[in-house]
Amino acid sequence: MLGVAAAASGCAEVPKGGVPRSPDQPLSRRLLPNELVPADLDVVLRVDLERLRRTLGARLEDELKARYGGDLHLEQALARGRTVLVAVRAGDLDAGDHVIVIEGEPKGLEKPPEGFEERRTPNDRVRMFVRTVTAARSETDAIVILDQRATAFVSPMETDAVSRVLRDGADERRGQPVAEGLVSADVRPKRLPAELERKFPSLARLLSQVQRVKMLLNVNDDGLRVDAEIIAKSEAAADKVRRFLDVFREGASGDGASKLLKKMQLEKLGAVVRATSRLAIEDVAALLEPAQAGADG
């Protein structure tokens, strides 16, 4: 709010050190991939692509290409990327609103791609190309290059939000998965659709008491480990979450993917519930068998 007020009054920005910066003088700062994610995208997933290729092959890449396919630059970036950050809106998954940031050298983007034009940014380490004609909602509308080390692909509904973030700075409430593990996630649960709220009122009430869920998945020679941290709005809400997970764990069959639930260990600390689950490497291999997956599905 202070930043907006200063901009509205025509005040120059004063960076650390107290030296005023002219509005025409660009910033020169390396951005982290998650700093580009607007806060309206409430599900943010980070995947270590290099480890994933060694562990599971190219399954995730294929799924991303299928969902956001038709974009040659996105497919090329995925093929050589080290990590990918996928930010979406839980309530509009089918609509396709997204920001996808892939760490890796942005080859082939030395100049605006065909059908795009370059837009000036306030950071001289960031380049932004915007489509010159309207794109479909799930397609790439803007491509942002972060200091020649990462490339972001932005859908039309998020182009203005990303431009705002580049101008005003990162959103404080944005999703920030930890930069470790095979997969990590940061989720802000939202209300269920009205139909599901009527069908599962207890679950709807429980979700309304959760502020954030952070998850981390690691795979090593010993097997798979999932760590989750559920941040509730109060200690009383955390007690309800703990009781719900206890019931959920007791009801799990222990077959297939439900082994993760059956082996879940729970700990409550104030308004936070921590859940940890481990699977042996042979159990992980069984989960990846197509026949087993079909039986569990």
Side-chain angles (χ1 to χ4, degrees):
M1 292 176 66
L2 290 173
V4 171
S9 63
C11 296
E13 180 183 347
V14 180
K16 291 181 179 180
V19 180
R21 180 177 67 84
S22 164
D24 296 326
Q25 178 184 353
L27 293 170
S28 184
R29 186 175 76 82
R30 172 173 288 186
L31 298 181
L32 298 174
N34 71 50
E35 290 185 84
L36 209 61
V37 175
D40 67 289
L41 299 178
D42 47 30
V43 177
V44 184
L45 182 76
R46 179 191 179 275
V47 181
D48 186 324
L49 289 173
E50 293 181 330
R51 290 182 62 188
L52 187 74
R53 293 183 189 109
R54 295 195 299 267
T55 307
L56 301 179
R59 295 183 184 186
L60 177 69
E61 291 179 45
D62 292 340
E63 183 175 334
L64 287 172
K65 289 175 184 178
R67 178 174 285 270
Y68 307 110
D71 187 323
L72 178 61
H73 294 290
L74 172 59
E75 293 185 6
Q76 291 176 339
L78 280 171
R80 60 174 174 265
R82 297 186 298 275
T83 69
V84 60
L85 192 78
V86 181
V88 296
R89 189 177 299 104
D92 295 312
L93 285 178
D94 291 337
D97 300 337
H98 65 270
V99 172
I100 300 174
V101 189
I102 303 169
E103 290 191 84
E105 187 178 350
K107 294 181 179 179
L109 291 170
E110 294 78 13
K111 60 182 181 179
E114 184 178 354
F116 288 75
E117 62 183 9
E118 188 158 7
R119 178 182 294 180
R120 184 181 179 186
T121 73
N123 189 331
D124 67 3
R125 293 195 178 192
V126 177
R127 299 182 71 193
M128 185 175 189
F129 305 129
V130 180
R131 195 182 288 271
T132 55
V133 297
T134 304
R137 187 166 175 175
S138 62
E139 292 180 341
T140 298
D141 183 62
I143 300 174
V144 183
I145 300 174
L146 303 179
D147 199 25
Q148 296 299 312
R149 66 191 182 94
T151 309
F153 299 86
V154 184
S155 65
M157 294 291 287
E158 298 302 319
T159 297
D160 287 345
V162 168
S163 297
R164 172 186 56 77
V165 167
L166 289 174
R167 181 185 67 244
D168 299 336
D171 285 343
E172 185 176 350
R173 294 184 65 249
R174 72 190 185 278
Q176 301 183 63
V178 295
E180 58 182 272
L182 179 64
V183 179
S184 57
D186 188 353
V187 179
R188 297 194 309 278
K190 296 293 179 67
R191 288 186 60 174
L192 294 174
E195 181 180 348
L196 291 179
E197 283 193 343
R198 290 191 295 269
K199 190 173 182 180
F200 305 107
S202 298
L203 178 59
R205 287 194 296 271
L206 188 72
L207 284 177
S208 70
Q209 297 299 308
V210 176
Q211 295 189 72
R212 214 165 190 127
V213 179
K214 296 196 173 190
M215 300 183 68
L216 175 64
L217 184 151
N218 262 308
V219 177
N220 53 37
D221 292 341
D222 297 324
L224 176 148
R225 171 172 172 153
V226 179
D227 293 283
E229 187 175 82
I230 304 166
I231 304 169
K233 293 182 179 179
S234 66
E235 287 198 38
D239 285 329
K240 294 178 182 178
V241 171
R242 169 66 190 264
R243 288 196 295 270
F244 177 85
L245 291 176
D246 275 329
V247 172
F248 208 49
R249 175 180 58 186
E250 292 305 316
S253 67
D255 297 325
S258 69
K259 282 186 178 181
L260 279 171
L261 296 175
K262 201 68 175 178
K263 295 185 176 184
M264 181 169 55
Q265 298 178 349
L266 298 170
E267 178 186 20
K268 176 183 167 295
L269 298 171
V272 177
V273 177
R274 291 177 178 166
T276 302
S277 190
R278 296 177 175 85
L279 282 182
I281 197 66
E282 56 269 21
D283 294 327
V284 177
L287 287 178
L288 299 179
E289 290 293 332
Q292 181 68 42
D296 292 339

